[in-house]
Amino acid sequence: MKKLLLLLAVCCSCISFAQDELAQNTIKAVLAGNQSQVIQLAEAFPDDKYDWRPTEGVNSVGEALLHVAGGNYFLASKLGFAPPEDVDLMNLGKITGKENIIAALKKSNDFVLEKITMVEDGQLNDEVDFGFMKANKLGGLLAIMEHNGEHKGQLIAYARSNDIVPPWSK
């Protein structure tokens, strides 16, 4: 009987341990997939299309990519994670050139992926004022994922408008 109780206790702890950071790890996995596709789109656009925009007053390809990078840093900062010291948020939108824009986006992607799992389970329901909404930290993590997905869709439309096939669709 003692062995059975010990086995049951071990199984319960393993199940409980497996659930730690379940939300964070799930969001991280989906976000990493979105980020990968956004990078693939960024790489598929030729240099001369980075200034293309569907109409005046709408972000260009390069501006949309930098907006995603800025959003990563902004949302993470509201969750308590300051951007790296070498990131100048005020001038992020002034970065030019395909290679530089992709590098800035990749850096922000790596940063936000690292920070997601630093939000502890016990903090997921803590309220945060994001400026445009009040939500708990779980909502903030979902906002990061949704923001990347939203702009992936935008960039797919931009690509299709320029006869660029998203690489994973080929």
Side-chain angles (χ1 to χ4, degrees), residues 106-117:
K106 285 180 176 180
K107 182 174 181 155
S108 77
N109 287 347
D110 292 343
F111 172 79
V112 80
L113 284 175
E114 174 191 335
K115 300 307 179 191
I116 287 173
T117 53

Side-chain angles (χ1 to χ4, degrees), residues 119-137:
V119 177
E120 297 176 11
D121 287 340
Q123 299 174 335
L124 290 176
N125 202 37
D126 293 355
E127 187 174 308
V128 177
D129 184 353
F130 290 91
F132 60 92
M133 71 173 188
K134 287 185 180 179
N136 59 24
K137 286 190 176 186

Side-chain angles (χ1 to χ4, degrees), residues 47-66:
D47 293 354
D48 65 338
K49 292 293 184 185
Y50 265 62
D51 291 328
W52 182 89
R53 66 185 78 239
T55 189
E56 195 58 40
V58 176
N59 280 342
S60 68
V61 171
E63 290 166 343
L65 293 166
L66 290 171

Side-chain angles (χ1 to χ4, degrees), residues 72-84 89 111-112 114-120 123 137 141 144:
N72 286 339
Y73 290 124
F74 172 79
L75 292 167
S77 74
K78 294 298 185 177
L79 293 171
F81 305 108
L89 288 180
F111 172 79
V112 80
E114 174 191 335
K115 300 307 179 191
I116 287 173
T117 53
M118 291 182 175
V119 177
E120 297 176 11
Q123 299 174 335
K137 286 190 176 186
L141 294 176
I144 293 169

